[in-house]
Amino acid sequence: MLPQDCPLPIGRREANRATRREAILDVAHRSFLERGYAATTMSAIAASLGGSKGTLWSYFASKELLFAAVLDRATTLFQAQIAQALNPRDGVADSLHAFARQFLDRITAADAVALYRLVIGEARRFPETGRIFHERAPGRTRALLAAYLEAAMARGQLRAADPMAASRQLMSLCMGGCHQQLLLGLIDKAPRKAIVEEAELAVDSFLRAYAA
Amino acid sequence: MLPQDCPLPIGRREANRATRREAILDVAHRSFLERGYAATTMSAIAASLGGSKGTLWSYFASKELLFAAVLDRATTLFQAQIAQALNPRDGVADSLHAFARQFLDRITAADAVALYRLVIGEARRFPETGRIFHERAPGRTRALLAAYLEAAMARGQLRAADPMAASRQLMSLCMGGCHQQLLLGLIDKAPRKAIVEEAELAVDSFLRAYAA
DNA sequence: ACAAAGGCGTACCGTATAGTACGCCAATGC
DNA sequence: GCATTGGCGTACTATACGGTACGCCTTTGT
């Protein structure tokens, strides 16, 4: 009777199921990132959902599958945040400064650090995870940045060099300070001032190294 | 009767105890680095030792204390390996190339990667560990390198800049390739060729950025 | 309105783990 | 030599977790 009840061939049942699935992933996401894999319990997730364990298992047949689904979604979100960090501007210096600033902002956010920790910490138990994470997050960013650098090199704004290697170097330069300290738990939050200075320093060195 | 039986005021009892303690730490070290914290069980360690659980607990009153002792020893060993990577030679370029090569060799070794993974993965559960690791391994190396760079800057061989920041940048440049791939489990062992090339590339960029 | 699907609550199973208790025996110190 | 220390072996406790089973009830599609 009401066409807007079912604008797409999805019934309320399927819609509810999708919503529920997202809710589970939200809770599991938080728990895995906050506590790590081992310390996250299925019972706690079910309890936190308000539902029963049977329901949880009807969505995800095992803890490993739930973990995989969480990481799949998390890396997708991460990718979406990171990929748009490179907004070409007029000059190479301005573009790279903006990139470094945004890149550092993203990777020093609390959940990015927690995700990174989780992926590295469980890389032996879940080898696929490391691969997926890499190809979605740092790999994609590196490829985007490399494409930009290659164009800049072609225009003579930077000296000719391997754009992928250059891209990796710039990203490495960005990750040596706050990010490292966050990973090791030396600090809880990166001070804005430190991020700005660090991005500046990284790009300055990079531009000296790759001046035309 | 025999003075060499007790050259120091340690009886055979204490000596045996120290030996046993080392043996426990050896086994625990391997297990923690190979399997991670959660997947390492005290029972397995006791069984692998050939001894009984009572003995194990008489040395380390809990799994957490054993873990702390293992990491304490492991970071000390790591420090010993890393700290001597900087052997000043005639020219700055030669010195830094030698440093980068040795540094990369050390940090891409299997146990170094496993240790790094472990420290990062458990940084939330054991916050002290991250601090200790940092001050012993990367912090110490960075300080040594910074001292060398500062001297080179004073001699006019490099442009004047913050030596600590420069030190961190060189180390970051070394850690962006193989080390990253090892951490994420993309590769199991760093090819020698890649290490050499990467060290070369890192130092080249560094020297361009900090040329006098 | 009615039947089916699916969530809920709870109790349960098997297993694994940190940590304890205790009796026995060999190594150790005097 | 002899008493004691300490490791050995084993059995045990308590607990926690992943995963299952099942009966009840609300929501859903027709």
Side-chain angles (χ1 to χ4, degrees):
Chain A
M1 193 197 274
L2 295 174
Q4 60 261 49
D5 251 347
C6 188
L8 288 173
I10 48 163
R12 238 163 101 176
R13 217 136 199 166
E14 277 119 12
N16 277 356
R17 211 169 160 78
T19 310
R20 197 95 174 110
R21 195 186 136 97
E22 280 305 300
I24 294 176
L25 287 176
D26 280 341
V27 171
H29 181 104
R30 260 191 296 276
S31 184
F32 279 126
L33 289 208
E34 272 172 25
R35 295 185 246 254
Y37 181 80
T40 291
T41 77
M42 296 292 273
S43 303
I45 290 173
S48 176
L49 276 168
S52 84
K53 295 176 75 171
T55 305
L56 177 53
W57 259 268
S58 83
Y59 283 89
F60 301 97
S62 74
K63 187 181 180 180
E64 292 200 2
L65 287 174
L66 176 56
F67 185 69
V70 164
L71 284 209
D72 193 75
R73 208 186 58 152
T75 53
T76 303
L77 291 175
F78 198 60
Q79 167 195 30
Q81 289 182 333
I82 286 282
Q84 45 116 17
L86 192 63
N87 298 321
R89 304 191 181 186
D90 290 342
V92 179
D94 285 347
S95 295
L96 293 186
H97 274 113
F99 165 78
R101 177 81 160 276
Q102 277 192 63
F103 179 65
L104 261 168
D105 266 338
R106 298 299 188 194
I107 65 171
T108 55
D111 30 345
V113 172
L115 177 61
Y116 204 80
R117 269 203 202 134
L118 192 58
V119 171
I120 288 179
E122 304 295 336
R124 175 157 290 136
R125 199 187 332 213
F126 303 99
E128 280 304 286
T129 291
R131 205 180 49 72
I132 293 173
F133 174 81
H134 177 262
E135 86 185 20
R136 289 202 183 161
R140 190 160 187 81
T141 307
R142 188 191 310 162
L144 279 170
L145 179 57
Y148 175 82
L149 293 177
E150 189 167 23
M153 289 170 184
R155 284 193 301 267
Q157 296 173 303
L158 297 175
R159 72 174 168 90
D162 178 0
M164 277 302 253
S167 170
R168 197 171 51 198
Q169 286 194 332
L170 176 53
M171 287 169 71
S172 296
L173 286 172
C174 290
M175 294 172 70
C178 290
H179 190 249
Q180 191 79 233
Q181 294 181 346
L182 285 164
L183 275 186
L184 291 175
L186 305 183
I187 53 176
D188 284 335
K189 195 177 176 303
R192 189 134 214 98
K193 186 160 163 273
I195 290 184
V196 173
E197 284 176 4
E198 208 166 294
E200 194 94 12
L201 212 58
V203 174
D204 282 355
S205 290
F206 180 83
L207 287 176
R208 283 177 190 267
Y210 285 90
Chain B
M1 192 196 279
L2 293 175
Q4 61 262 48
D5 250 347
C6 188
L8 288 173
I10 50 165
R12 237 160 104 176
R13 218 137 198 165
E14 276 121 11
N16 277 356
R17 210 167 161 81
T19 311
R20 199 96 174 105
R21 195 186 136 97
E22 281 305 300
I24 294 177
L25 287 177
D26 280 341
V27 171
H29 180 104
R30 260 191 296 276
S31 183
F32 277 126
L33 289 209
E34 272 172 25
R35 295 186 245 257
Y37 181 80
T40 291
T41 77
M42 296 293 273
S43 304
I45 290 174
S48 176
L49 276 169
S52 84
K53 297 176 74 171
T55 305
L56 178 53
W57 259 269
S58 83
Y59 283 89
F60 301 97
S62 76
K63 187 180 180 181
E64 293 201 1
L65 287 174
L66 175 58
F67 185 68
V70 165
L71 285 209
D72 193 76
R73 208 185 60 152
T75 51
T76 302
L77 291 175
F78 198 58
Q79 167 196 31
Q81 289 182 332
I82 287 281
Q84 44 117 14
L86 191 63
N87 300 321
R89 304 191 181 187
D90 290 344
V92 179
D94 285 345
S95 295
L96 292 186
H97 274 113
F99 165 78
R101 178 82 158 277
Q102 279 192 62
F103 180 64
L104 260 169
D105 267 339
R106 300 297 190 192
I107 67 172
T108 56
D111 29 344
V113 173
L115 177 61
Y116 204 79
R117 266 203 203 135
L118 193 57
V119 171
I120 288 178
E122 305 295 337
R124 174 158 291 135
R125 199 186 332 211
F126 303 99
E128 281 304 286
T129 291
R131 203 180 50 73
I132 292 173
F133 175 81
H134 177 263
E135 87 185 21
R136 289 200 184 162
R140 190 158 188 82
T141 307
R142 187 191 309 161
L144 279 170
L145 179 58
Y148 175 82
L149 294 177
E150 189 167 22
M153 289 170 183
R155 285 193 301 267
Q157 295 173 305
L158 297 174
R159 73 175 166 89
D162 177 359
M164 277 302 254
S167 170
R168 197 171 54 199
Q169 285 194 333
L170 177 52
M171 289 169 68
S172 296
L173 286 172
C174 289
M175 295 172 68
C178 290
H179 191 248
Q180 190 79 235
Q181 294 180 349
L182 286 164
L183 275 187
L184 291 175
L186 305 182
I187 54 176
D188 284 334
K189 194 178 175 305
R192 186 136 216 96
K193 186 159 164 273
I195 289 183
V196 174
E197 284 176 4
E198 209 167 293
E200 194 94 11
L201 212 60
V203 173
D204 282 354
S205 289
F206 181 82
L207 287 176
R208 283 176 191 269
Y210 285 91

